[in-house]
Short mmCIF file of all heavy atoms in Angstrom, two decimals:
data_model
loop_
_atom_site.label_atom_id
_atom_site.label_comp_id
_atom_site.label_asym_id
_atom_site.label_seq_id
_atom_site.Cartn_x
_atom_site.Cartn_y
_atom_site.Cartn_z
N MET A 1 -1.17 -1.84 17.35
CA MET A 1 -1.70 -0.72 16.51
C MET A 1 -1.85 -1.10 15.02
O MET A 1 -0.89 -1.66 14.47
CB MET A 1 -0.69 0.46 16.70
CG MET A 1 -1.50 1.81 16.49
SD MET A 1 -0.27 3.22 16.55
CE MET A 1 0.38 3.12 18.12
N ALA A 2 -2.92 -0.79 14.45
CA ALA A 2 -3.16 -1.19 13.00
C ALA A 2 -2.36 -0.17 12.13
O ALA A 2 -2.11 0.98 12.46
CB ALA A 2 -4.63 -1.08 12.75
N LYS A 3 -2.13 -0.66 10.92
CA LYS A 3 -1.51 0.18 9.93
C LYS A 3 -2.40 0.25 8.72
O LYS A 3 -3.07 -0.63 8.35
CB LYS A 3 -0.13 -0.36 9.58
CG LYS A 3 0.86 -0.35 10.63
CD LYS A 3 2.19 -0.82 10.18
CE LYS A 3 3.19 -0.85 11.42
NZ LYS A 3 3.71 0.48 11.73
N SER A 4 -2.35 1.38 8.07
CA SER A 4 -3.27 1.62 6.95
C SER A 4 -2.57 2.29 5.84
O SER A 4 -1.51 3.00 6.02
CB SER A 4 -4.56 2.35 7.29
OG SER A 4 -4.24 3.71 7.52
N PHE A 5 -3.06 2.07 4.58
CA PHE A 5 -2.44 2.69 3.41
C PHE A 5 -3.58 3.03 2.46
O PHE A 5 -4.48 2.32 2.30
CB PHE A 5 -1.50 1.67 2.78
CG PHE A 5 -1.03 2.08 1.39
CD1 PHE A 5 -0.08 2.96 1.26
CD2 PHE A 5 -1.68 1.61 0.30
CE1 PHE A 5 0.36 3.36 -0.05
CE2 PHE A 5 -1.25 1.95 -1.02
CZ PHE A 5 -0.22 2.96 -1.17
N ALA A 6 -3.46 4.16 1.77
CA ALA A 6 -4.42 4.55 0.73
C ALA A 6 -3.61 4.91 -0.52
O ALA A 6 -2.61 5.62 -0.44
CB ALA A 6 -5.25 5.77 1.17
N CYS A 7 -4.01 4.32 -1.66
CA CYS A 7 -3.40 4.61 -2.92
C CYS A 7 -3.25 6.09 -3.23
O CYS A 7 -2.24 6.60 -3.79
CB CYS A 7 -4.01 3.93 -4.03
SG CYS A 7 -3.27 2.23 -4.43
N ARG A 8 -4.35 6.81 -2.89
CA ARG A 8 -4.34 8.22 -3.20
C ARG A 8 -3.18 8.92 -2.57
O ARG A 8 -2.82 10.03 -3.05
CB ARG A 8 -5.72 8.82 -3.05
CG ARG A 8 -6.15 8.89 -1.61
CD ARG A 8 -7.14 10.06 -1.37
NE ARG A 8 -7.26 10.24 0.03
CZ ARG A 8 -8.27 9.66 0.72
NH1 ARG A 8 -9.24 9.03 0.14
NH2 ARG A 8 -8.32 9.79 2.05
N ASP A 9 -2.71 8.42 -1.48
CA ASP A 9 -1.63 9.08 -0.68
C ASP A 9 -0.34 9.02 -1.47
O ASP A 9 0.58 9.79 -1.25
CB ASP A 9 -1.41 8.50 0.64
CG ASP A 9 -2.56 8.85 1.57
OD1 ASP A 9 -3.36 9.83 1.27
OD2 ASP A 9 -2.67 8.18 2.72
N ILE A 10 -0.24 8.19 -2.53
CA ILE A 10 0.98 8.19 -3.35
C ILE A 10 0.61 8.66 -4.82
O ILE A 10 1.34 8.25 -5.76
CB ILE A 10 1.70 6.86 -3.37
CG1 ILE A 10 0.80 5.67 -3.83
CG2 ILE A 10 2.24 6.50 -1.98
CD1 ILE A 10 1.58 4.41 -4.21
N GLY A 11 -0.48 9.30 -4.92
CA GLY A 11 -0.89 9.86 -6.23
C GLY A 11 -1.62 9.06 -7.10
O GLY A 11 -1.91 9.31 -8.29
N MET A 12 -2.14 7.80 -6.52
CA MET A 12 -2.99 6.94 -7.42
C MET A 12 -4.36 7.34 -7.23
O MET A 12 -4.77 7.75 -6.11
CB MET A 12 -2.78 5.53 -6.99
CG MET A 12 -1.43 4.96 -6.98
SD MET A 12 -0.82 4.63 -8.65
CE MET A 12 0.67 3.68 -8.30
N SER A 13 -5.20 7.25 -8.25
CA SER A 13 -6.52 7.70 -8.11
C SER A 13 -7.60 6.60 -8.05
O SER A 13 -8.82 6.80 -8.20
CB SER A 13 -6.89 8.58 -9.33
OG SER A 13 -6.68 7.86 -10.55
N CYS A 14 -7.12 5.33 -7.64
CA CYS A 14 -8.07 4.27 -7.64
C CYS A 14 -8.91 4.17 -6.46
O CYS A 14 -9.93 3.42 -6.50
CB CYS A 14 -7.29 2.99 -7.87
SG CYS A 14 -6.29 2.63 -6.40
N GLY A 15 -8.64 4.83 -5.42
CA GLY A 15 -9.52 4.82 -4.24
C GLY A 15 -9.26 3.56 -3.30
O GLY A 15 -10.07 3.41 -2.34
N PHE A 16 -8.26 2.81 -3.56
CA PHE A 16 -7.95 1.61 -2.76
C PHE A 16 -7.39 2.05 -1.35
O PHE A 16 -6.58 2.90 -1.21
CB PHE A 16 -6.88 0.82 -3.52
CG PHE A 16 -6.24 -0.33 -2.59
CD1 PHE A 16 -7.07 -1.50 -2.46
CD2 PHE A 16 -5.04 -0.21 -2.07
CE1 PHE A 16 -6.52 -2.59 -1.65
CE2 PHE A 16 -4.47 -1.25 -1.27
CZ PHE A 16 -5.24 -2.41 -1.16
N ARG A 17 -7.93 1.39 -0.38
CA ARG A 17 -7.44 1.55 1.01
C ARG A 17 -7.26 0.21 1.60
O ARG A 17 -7.99 -0.70 1.39
CB ARG A 17 -8.44 2.34 1.83
CG ARG A 17 -8.77 3.69 1.45
CD ARG A 17 -9.68 4.40 2.52
NE ARG A 17 -8.96 4.53 3.71
CZ ARG A 17 -8.21 5.61 4.04
NH1 ARG A 17 -8.05 6.60 3.15
NH2 ARG A 17 -7.70 5.64 5.24
N ALA A 18 -6.16 0.03 2.36
CA ALA A 18 -5.94 -1.26 3.01
C ALA A 18 -5.64 -1.01 4.48
O ALA A 18 -5.06 0.07 4.86
CB ALA A 18 -4.82 -2.02 2.41
N ARG A 19 -5.96 -1.96 5.35
CA ARG A 19 -5.68 -1.83 6.76
C ARG A 19 -5.39 -3.26 7.30
O ARG A 19 -5.91 -4.19 6.80
CB ARG A 19 -7.12 -1.39 7.45
CG ARG A 19 -6.87 -0.82 8.75
CD ARG A 19 -8.17 -0.17 9.17
NE ARG A 19 -8.05 0.36 10.54
CZ ARG A 19 -8.21 -0.44 11.61
NH1 ARG A 19 -8.59 -1.67 11.55
NH2 ARG A 19 -8.05 0.19 12.78
N ALA A 20 -4.32 -3.24 8.08
CA ALA A 20 -3.89 -4.61 8.66
C ALA A 20 -3.30 -4.42 9.99
O ALA A 20 -2.98 -3.32 10.45
CB ALA A 20 -2.92 -5.22 7.69
N GLY A 21 -3.10 -5.52 10.71
CA GLY A 21 -2.57 -5.45 12.00
C GLY A 21 -1.09 -5.17 12.13
O GLY A 21 -0.62 -4.71 13.11
N ASN A 22 -0.34 -5.47 10.95
CA ASN A 22 1.01 -5.19 11.06
C ASN A 22 1.51 -4.92 9.62
O ASN A 22 0.81 -5.09 8.67
CB ASN A 22 1.88 -6.35 11.68
CG ASN A 22 1.64 -7.66 10.84
OD1 ASN A 22 1.90 -7.72 9.65
ND2 ASN A 22 1.26 -8.72 11.61
N GLU A 23 2.79 -4.44 9.51
CA GLU A 23 3.23 -3.99 8.22
C GLU A 23 3.33 -5.03 7.17
O GLU A 23 3.00 -4.86 6.00
CB GLU A 23 4.57 -3.27 8.36
CG GLU A 23 4.98 -2.51 7.04
CD GLU A 23 6.12 -1.52 7.22
OE1 GLU A 23 6.02 -0.71 8.23
OE2 GLU A 23 7.01 -1.61 6.48
N SER A 24 3.77 -6.27 7.60
CA SER A 24 4.00 -7.33 6.57
C SER A 24 2.70 -7.79 6.03
O SER A 24 2.56 -8.11 4.83
CB SER A 24 4.78 -8.50 7.17
OG SER A 24 4.13 -9.13 8.11
N GLU A 25 1.67 -7.80 6.91
CA GLU A 25 0.25 -8.19 6.39
C GLU A 25 -0.20 -7.07 5.44
O GLU A 25 -0.82 -7.44 4.36
CB GLU A 25 -0.61 -8.28 7.61
CG GLU A 25 -1.76 -9.23 7.49
CD GLU A 25 -2.55 -9.27 8.80
OE1 GLU A 25 -2.01 -9.67 9.88
OE2 GLU A 25 -3.67 -8.85 8.75
N LEU A 26 0.04 -5.85 5.76
CA LEU A 26 -0.40 -4.75 4.99
C LEU A 26 0.31 -4.75 3.62
O LEU A 26 -0.30 -4.61 2.56
CB LEU A 26 -0.09 -3.41 5.63
CG LEU A 26 -0.64 -2.20 5.03
CD1 LEU A 26 -2.17 -2.15 4.82
CD2 LEU A 26 -0.13 -0.94 5.73
N MET A 27 1.56 -4.97 3.66
CA MET A 27 2.36 -5.05 2.42
C MET A 27 1.82 -6.16 1.48
O MET A 27 1.87 -5.96 0.21
CB MET A 27 3.84 -5.21 2.73
CG MET A 27 4.58 -4.05 3.20
SD MET A 27 4.23 -2.47 2.46
CE MET A 27 4.90 -2.83 0.81
N SER A 28 1.42 -7.29 2.01
CA SER A 28 0.98 -8.36 1.11
C SER A 28 -0.38 -7.89 0.49
O SER A 28 -0.64 -8.26 -0.70
CB SER A 28 0.93 -9.70 1.77
OG SER A 28 -0.02 -9.70 2.81
N LYS A 29 -1.23 -7.24 1.19
CA LYS A 29 -2.49 -6.66 0.63
C LYS A 29 -2.19 -5.75 -0.47
O LYS A 29 -2.76 -5.65 -1.50
CB LYS A 29 -3.35 -5.97 1.72
CG LYS A 29 -3.95 -6.98 2.65
CD LYS A 29 -4.96 -6.22 3.62
CE LYS A 29 -5.50 -7.11 4.63
NZ LYS A 29 -6.52 -6.45 5.40
N ILE A 30 -1.19 -4.81 -0.12
CA ILE A 30 -0.83 -3.76 -1.14
C ILE A 30 -0.21 -4.44 -2.40
O ILE A 30 -0.58 -4.05 -3.59
CB ILE A 30 0.17 -2.71 -0.59
CG1 ILE A 30 -0.42 -2.01 0.59
CG2 ILE A 30 0.65 -1.81 -1.62
CD1 ILE A 30 0.46 -1.15 1.47
N ALA A 31 0.63 -5.40 -2.20
CA ALA A 31 1.26 -6.13 -3.36
C ALA A 31 0.22 -6.81 -4.22
O ALA A 31 0.25 -6.71 -5.43
CB ALA A 31 2.25 -7.18 -2.79
N ALA A 32 -0.84 -7.45 -3.60
CA ALA A 32 -1.83 -8.08 -4.39
C ALA A 32 -2.73 -7.08 -5.12
O ALA A 32 -3.05 -7.27 -6.30
CB ALA A 32 -2.81 -8.89 -3.39
N HIS A 33 -2.99 -5.91 -4.51
CA HIS A 33 -3.70 -4.88 -5.13
C HIS A 33 -2.86 -4.27 -6.29
O HIS A 33 -3.42 -4.01 -7.41
CB HIS A 33 -4.06 -3.77 -4.15
CG HIS A 33 -4.54 -2.45 -4.83
ND1 HIS A 33 -5.81 -2.31 -5.34
CD2 HIS A 33 -3.89 -1.28 -5.00
CE1 HIS A 33 -5.90 -1.07 -5.86
NE2 HIS A 33 -4.82 -0.48 -5.68
N ALA A 34 -1.66 -4.05 -6.09
CA ALA A 34 -0.73 -3.38 -7.11
C ALA A 34 -0.76 -4.36 -8.39
O ALA A 34 -0.76 -3.84 -9.46
CB ALA A 34 0.63 -3.21 -6.54
N LYS A 35 -0.62 -5.58 -8.18
CA LYS A 35 -0.72 -6.53 -9.24
C LYS A 35 -1.91 -6.53 -10.05
O LYS A 35 -1.94 -6.36 -11.22
CB LYS A 35 -0.37 -7.93 -8.69
CG LYS A 35 0.04 -8.95 -9.64
CD LYS A 35 0.40 -10.22 -8.85
CE LYS A 35 0.76 -11.37 -9.84
NZ LYS A 35 1.08 -12.58 -9.08
N GLU A 36 -3.10 -6.57 -9.27
CA GLU A 36 -4.43 -6.60 -9.99
C GLU A 36 -4.78 -5.27 -10.62
O GLU A 36 -5.23 -5.24 -11.76
CB GLU A 36 -5.52 -6.95 -8.96
CG GLU A 36 -5.78 -8.42 -8.71
CD GLU A 36 -6.74 -8.66 -7.73
OE1 GLU A 36 -7.69 -7.93 -7.57
OE2 GLU A 36 -6.53 -9.68 -6.97
N ALA A 37 -4.61 -4.19 -9.85
CA ALA A 37 -5.18 -2.90 -10.30
C ALA A 37 -4.17 -2.03 -11.03
O ALA A 37 -4.62 -1.23 -11.86
CB ALA A 37 -5.74 -2.15 -9.07
N HIS A 38 -2.95 -2.18 -10.78
CA HIS A 38 -1.93 -1.33 -11.35
C HIS A 38 -0.93 -2.06 -12.31
O HIS A 38 -0.01 -1.50 -12.75
CB HIS A 38 -1.17 -0.48 -10.30
CG HIS A 38 -2.03 0.25 -9.47
ND1 HIS A 38 -2.72 1.37 -9.87
CD2 HIS A 38 -2.46 0.11 -8.15
CE1 HIS A 38 -3.47 1.91 -8.95
NE2 HIS A 38 -3.31 1.16 -7.79
N ASN A 39 -1.22 -3.29 -12.43
CA ASN A 39 -0.47 -4.13 -13.36
C ASN A 39 1.07 -4.18 -13.00
O ASN A 39 1.92 -4.25 -13.86
CB ASN A 39 -0.59 -3.50 -14.78
CG ASN A 39 -0.94 -4.62 -15.79
OD1 ASN A 39 -0.88 -5.84 -15.51
ND2 ASN A 39 -1.41 -4.22 -16.94
N MET A 40 1.29 -4.11 -11.69
CA MET A 40 2.72 -4.24 -11.24
C MET A 40 2.89 -5.59 -10.69
O MET A 40 2.46 -5.91 -9.56
CB MET A 40 2.90 -3.21 -10.09
CG MET A 40 2.97 -1.75 -10.44
SD MET A 40 3.31 -0.82 -8.97
CE MET A 40 2.68 0.85 -9.59
N ALA A 41 3.58 -6.43 -11.40
CA ALA A 41 3.86 -7.73 -10.90
C ALA A 41 4.73 -7.67 -9.65
O ALA A 41 4.61 -8.43 -8.74
CB ALA A 41 4.54 -8.61 -11.98
N GLN A 42 5.63 -6.73 -9.67
CA GLN A 42 6.47 -6.46 -8.60
C GLN A 42 6.49 -4.94 -8.39
O GLN A 42 6.63 -4.19 -9.31
CB GLN A 42 7.88 -6.91 -8.96
CG GLN A 42 8.76 -7.18 -7.69
CD GLN A 42 9.18 -8.68 -7.68
OE1 GLN A 42 9.47 -9.23 -8.72
NE2 GLN A 42 9.36 -9.18 -6.52
N ILE A 43 6.43 -4.55 -7.05
CA ILE A 43 6.47 -3.12 -6.77
C ILE A 43 7.98 -2.71 -6.81
O ILE A 43 8.78 -3.29 -6.22
CB ILE A 43 5.88 -2.83 -5.37
CG1 ILE A 43 4.50 -3.33 -5.27
CG2 ILE A 43 5.97 -1.32 -5.09
CD1 ILE A 43 3.78 -3.13 -3.88
N ASP A 44 8.21 -1.74 -7.70
CA ASP A 44 9.61 -1.27 -7.83
C ASP A 44 10.12 -0.49 -6.59
O ASP A 44 9.26 0.00 -5.82
CB ASP A 44 9.83 -0.51 -9.10
CG ASP A 44 9.11 0.72 -9.11
OD1 ASP A 44 9.43 1.67 -8.40
OD2 ASP A 44 8.05 0.81 -9.91
N ALA A 45 11.42 -0.35 -6.49
CA ALA A 45 12.03 0.28 -5.22
C ALA A 45 11.50 1.67 -5.01
O ALA A 45 11.19 2.10 -3.84
CB ALA A 45 13.48 0.23 -5.39
N ALA A 46 11.36 2.47 -6.08
CA ALA A 46 10.84 3.85 -5.84
C ALA A 46 9.49 3.89 -5.37
O ALA A 46 9.15 4.69 -4.47
CB ALA A 46 11.07 4.62 -7.16
N THR A 47 8.58 3.01 -5.92
CA THR A 47 7.16 3.00 -5.46
C THR A 47 7.14 2.41 -4.04
O THR A 47 6.39 2.97 -3.22
CB THR A 47 6.40 2.13 -6.51
OG1 THR A 47 6.56 2.63 -7.78
CG2 THR A 47 4.90 2.16 -6.11
N MET A 48 7.93 1.47 -3.79
CA MET A 48 7.93 0.87 -2.48
C MET A 48 8.32 1.90 -1.38
O MET A 48 7.73 1.98 -0.34
CB MET A 48 9.01 -0.30 -2.44
CG MET A 48 9.05 -1.08 -1.09
SD MET A 48 7.42 -1.84 -0.72
CE MET A 48 7.67 -3.34 -1.74
N LYS A 49 9.30 2.81 -1.72
CA LYS A 49 9.66 3.81 -0.84
C LYS A 49 8.50 4.74 -0.49
O LYS A 49 8.22 5.19 0.61
CB LYS A 49 10.86 4.63 -1.41
CG LYS A 49 11.79 5.22 -0.46
CD LYS A 49 13.03 5.80 -1.21
CE LYS A 49 13.74 6.72 -0.33
NZ LYS A 49 14.94 7.31 -1.03
N LYS A 50 7.75 5.13 -1.58
CA LYS A 50 6.57 5.97 -1.47
C LYS A 50 5.51 5.29 -0.58
O LYS A 50 4.83 5.91 0.25
CB LYS A 50 5.94 6.30 -2.80
CG LYS A 50 6.67 7.31 -3.61
CD LYS A 50 5.78 7.75 -4.75
CE LYS A 50 6.56 7.96 -6.01
NZ LYS A 50 5.61 8.10 -7.21
N VAL A 51 5.35 4.08 -0.85
CA VAL A 51 4.31 3.21 -0.12
C VAL A 51 4.60 3.29 1.36
O VAL A 51 3.76 3.54 2.24
CB VAL A 51 4.23 1.80 -0.65
CG1 VAL A 51 3.42 0.87 0.29
CG2 VAL A 51 3.54 1.75 -2.10
N LYS A 52 5.88 2.90 1.67
CA LYS A 52 6.34 2.78 3.05
C LYS A 52 6.18 4.23 3.79
O LYS A 52 5.76 4.28 4.96
CB LYS A 52 7.73 2.31 3.19
CG LYS A 52 7.79 0.89 2.69
CD LYS A 52 8.79 0.09 3.53
CE LYS A 52 8.62 -1.45 3.23
NZ LYS A 52 9.43 -2.37 3.91
N ALA A 53 6.43 5.27 3.03
CA ALA A 53 6.30 6.61 3.60
C ALA A 53 4.81 6.99 3.83
O ALA A 53 4.53 7.79 4.69
CB ALA A 53 6.93 7.64 2.73
N ALA A 54 3.92 6.36 3.07
CA ALA A 54 2.50 6.70 3.17
C ALA A 54 1.76 5.79 4.11
O ALA A 54 0.59 6.12 4.36
CB ALA A 54 1.88 6.59 1.72
N ILE A 55 2.34 4.82 4.63
CA ILE A 55 1.69 3.95 5.66
C ILE A 55 1.49 4.74 6.92
O ILE A 55 2.39 5.38 7.47
CB ILE A 55 2.59 2.72 5.91
CG1 ILE A 55 2.52 1.78 4.76
CG2 ILE A 55 1.92 1.89 7.18
CD1 ILE A 55 3.44 0.56 4.74
N LYS A 56 0.26 4.66 7.40
CA LYS A 56 -0.08 5.41 8.65
C LYS A 56 -0.40 4.44 9.78
O LYS A 56 -1.03 3.35 9.54
CB LYS A 56 -1.37 6.30 8.36
CG LYS A 56 -1.10 7.35 7.33
CD LYS A 56 -2.27 8.32 7.37
CE LYS A 56 -2.04 9.55 6.51
NZ LYS A 56 -2.21 9.25 5.04
N GLU A 57 -0.13 4.85 10.97
CA GLU A 57 -0.55 4.06 12.12
C GLU A 57 -1.84 4.56 12.58
O GLU A 57 -2.27 5.71 12.42
CB GLU A 57 0.46 4.51 13.31
CG GLU A 57 1.89 4.25 12.98
CD GLU A 57 2.37 2.89 13.53
OE1 GLU A 57 1.64 2.18 14.31
OE2 GLU A 57 3.53 2.54 13.26
N GLU A 58 -2.73 3.63 12.94
CA GLU A 58 -3.99 4.10 13.44
C GLU A 58 -4.25 3.80 14.93
O GLU A 58 -3.74 2.78 15.42
CB GLU A 58 -5.07 3.18 12.63
CG GLU A 58 -5.18 3.74 11.18
CD GLU A 58 -6.33 3.10 10.52
OE1 GLU A 58 -6.85 2.10 10.99
OE2 GLU A 58 -6.70 3.56 9.38
ZN1 ZN B 1 -4.35 1.37 -6.13
#
């Protein structure tokens, strides 16, 4: 089952969506996006918690 994430689900307005075959693949896509688009070299624990809660199964 694929997993997906959308930034707007955690209150970001950038319109980014990611989809991957598993959570670790998805997390690496999200981490790369967070770094480029949101200037987060590292996703902090509070944001990580929101991200994980917003990941959907497809
Ligand atoms: Zn974003």
